[in-house]
Amino acid sequence: MFTPCADLVSVISSGVPKALADPRTDLLECLNGLLVAELADGAGWELLIALADAVGQEKLTEKFGEALQTEQEHLLKVKTWLQAGMLLAIRGALPASATEHQPSP
């Protein structure tokens, strides 16, 4: 059984995978969904670091800091991919299939 907070997080986080799996979602929209997920992950690790630090859990603070660094690397990759894709799209250099919605099944 989950806590009410865990239930809420589960509901909130289910949106990104649903968007990514939707056949109408194009490549750039998927990258935007990943950006949302990475931003949320980073904010979560920042909160955990602050909480662990506030209660004097130095080892946890350090481990959470390592996780945050990994998340920051993920965020940078996704932002770079999204920016590159958007620049290609506005220049007309992306294949149409990467930016067009697919018909509903």
Side-chain angles (χ1 to χ4, degrees), residues 10 19 31 35 37 40 51-52 77 81 87 89 91 102 105:
S10 176
L31 287 171
L35 178 63
L51 293 172
K77 286 179 182 179
W81 298 333
L87 287 171
R91 292 178 182 146
Q102 302 300 314

Side-chain angles (χ1 to χ4, degrees), residues 8-83:
L8 177 61
V9 170
S10 176
V11 170
I12 291 169
S13 64
S14 69
V16 171
K18 286 180 182 176
L20 297 178
D22 188 320
R24 298 167 296 174
T25 305
D26 67 34
L27 175 63
L28 292 179
E29 291 167 338
C30 286
L31 287 171
N32 197 46
L34 290 176
L35 178 63
V36 169
E38 291 300 338
L39 289 168
D41 285 349
W45 286 114
E46 289 169 353
L47 177 59
L48 285 172
I49 290 166
L51 293 172
D53 191 50
V55 296
Q57 294 292 320
E58 294 174 14
K59 288 190 183 224
L60 280 179
T61 300
E62 183 180 324
K63 289 291 185 187
F64 293 162
E66 292 169 8
L68 176 60
Q69 184 176 4
T70 299
E71 288 306 323
Q72 289 171 334
E73 292 169 7
H74 295 168
L75 178 60
L76 180 59
K77 286 179 182 179
V78 172
K79 286 170 67 174
T80 300
W81 298 333
L82 182 57
Q83 182 179 6

